[in-house]
Amino acid sequence: MSNKPRFLIPVLLLSLMCGIAVSAAPALSADAILNRMDRMDGVNDMTCQLRMVVTSKSGQTQVRNLTMYTKGKEDGTQFVMVRVDLPALIKGTSLLSITRPGQPVETWLYLPALGKPKRITASERSGSFMGSDFSYQDMGTVRAEDYVNKLLRTEKLGGDETYVIESVPRTEEIKKATGFSKQIWWIRTSNFTRAKAEFYDQSNKVAKVQLASKPIEVKKGAWFNTLMEMSNLGLGSKTEVEFSNVLVNSGLKDDFFTVENMKQ
């Protein structure tokens, strides 16, 4: 049986925050398209370096260097671990997201100054990750089952043909966790990488916009966006994340993605 792990960056983060892709297929449902956006056929795990630049409305910038580790399993379980390498003041800060089928997303934050990991509650997951425009929710996995999804249309975006999907949270708990009333995704039909996402507030106005570009083929048939940008329209800020040194199938074990390991 082939492995079919799925990873969102996040959102990236994510969801999140990255798109991994497989070859296109005709007459797909909205759920199937959204699930494919985060799937890596033949990729069991991935490690990469991140350079995050946060720019305020006034133009001031903050730079963070991070390492991200991800793993997907055949049963649908998804692991994401992010560790801060620089600046030295917050080095060692880490985030752990675990998504299991049919269970609430489990998110933990470790701050060296506190000395122990803290579990992020559902209502806290919409909060900012390390002062960036990405939330804790963005750092986990997008699950089609958490939303009522609708294929709105297909259209050209930046020269790419895309599926346009609307996702509305199924429950109030999911709505609180995301912080949004709905999300709209633009997903490339050629390789199922994410091209754009809009996040709508409770007044149904666009609150954040994410752009994703520069996809690379990390393994035959599996594509990964290496540049992500999230803009907060209310604050006038934006966060750009560039991915590099992407390594797949290095053999990461399940026990790497544990609360106890966050302190390493």
Side-chain angles (χ1 to χ4, degrees), residues 78-91:
Q78 308 294 317
F79 300 104
V80 179
M81 174 88 81
V82 181
R83 285 179 174 156
V84 177
D85 302 315
L86 290 173
L89 185 64
I90 56 173
K91 182 177 181 180

Side-chain angles (χ1 to χ4, degrees), residues 12-261:
L12 208 148
L13 292 160
L14 102 247
S15 130
L16 352 79
M17 226 193 316
C18 302
I20 300 295
V22 294
S23 58
L28 292 171
S29 68
D31 282 8
I33 294 168
L34 194 60
N35 275 326
R36 279 192 157 196
M37 179 182 72
D38 295 319
R39 192 172 82 189
M40 296 186 282
D41 277 5
V43 176
N44 300 316
D45 60 73
M46 183 178 72
T47 303
C48 59
Q49 304 299 313
L50 285 67
R51 176 178 168 83
M52 175 184 286
V53 180
V54 184
T55 305
S56 69
K57 184 177 182 179
S58 64
Q60 294 181 316
T61 61
Q62 299 180 54
V63 179
R64 283 112 164 72
N65 290 347
L66 310 96
T67 302
M68 183 169 70
Y69 310 87
T70 69
K71 182 176 182 178
K73 303 186 68 176
E74 286 187 55
D75 66 1
T77 299
Q78 308 294 317
F79 300 104
V80 179
M81 174 88 81
V82 181
R83 285 179 174 156
V84 177
D85 302 315
L86 290 173
L89 185 64
I90 56 173
K91 182 177 181 180
T93 298
S94 59
L95 179 77
L96 174 64
S97 176
I98 303 175
T99 305
R100 295 185 175 91
Q103 298 183 31
V105 177
E106 188 177 329
T107 306
W108 294 82
L109 177 67
Y110 172 67
L111 300 172
L114 295 181
K116 63 179 182 179
K118 173 186 181 299
R119 184 160 186 172
I120 303 298
T121 65
S123 60
E124 294 173 325
R125 290 209 303 273
S126 61
S128 170
F129 173 66
M130 294 182 52
S132 74
D133 296 292
F134 290 94
S135 68
Y136 295 110
Q137 178 75 14
D138 294 330
M139 305 299 290
T141 301
V142 177
R143 297 190 299 191
E145 66 195 68
D146 290 340
Y147 302 89
V148 176
N149 301 299
K150 180 180 179 181
L151 176 58
L152 300 179
R153 59 189 180 275
T154 60
E155 67 180 25
K156 287 276 189 180
L157 180 68
D160 295 316
E161 190 70 22
T162 63
Y163 297 110
V164 184
I165 305 288
E166 178 187 72
S167 298
V168 178
R170 285 190 180 275
T171 67
E172 283 300 315
E173 182 180 7
I174 295 171
K175 183 183 290 188
K176 288 179 181 178
T178 64
F180 302 107
S181 61
K182 70 177 181 181
Q183 301 167 42
I184 297 181
W185 315 90
W186 282 256
I187 303 167
R188 296 180 183 94
T189 61
S190 61
N191 58 19
F192 286 87
T193 55
R194 184 183 323 189
K196 180 182 177 181
E198 290 181 346
F199 303 83
Y200 289 73
D201 63 19
Q202 305 308 321
S203 300
N204 210 33
K205 295 180 179 179
V206 179
K208 296 200 303 184
V209 176
Q210 182 189 64
L211 299 176
S213 59
K214 297 186 178 180
I216 61 172
E217 193 172 23
V218 296
K219 192 178 186 299
K220 186 173 177 60
W223 292 80
F224 178 78
N225 284 315
T226 58
L227 185 63
M228 307 282 281
E229 180 183 296
M230 184 75 84
S231 297
N232 188 313
L233 304 188
L235 297 177
S237 57
K238 70 175 181 179
T239 299
E240 184 176 274
V241 179
E242 186 174 6
F243 300 82
S244 62
N245 299 325
V246 179
L247 176 66
V248 300
N249 293 340
S250 63
L252 290 174
K253 305 298 184 183
D254 290 6
D255 59 12
F256 175 83
F257 298 93
T258 60
V259 174
E260 292 74 21
N261 197 40

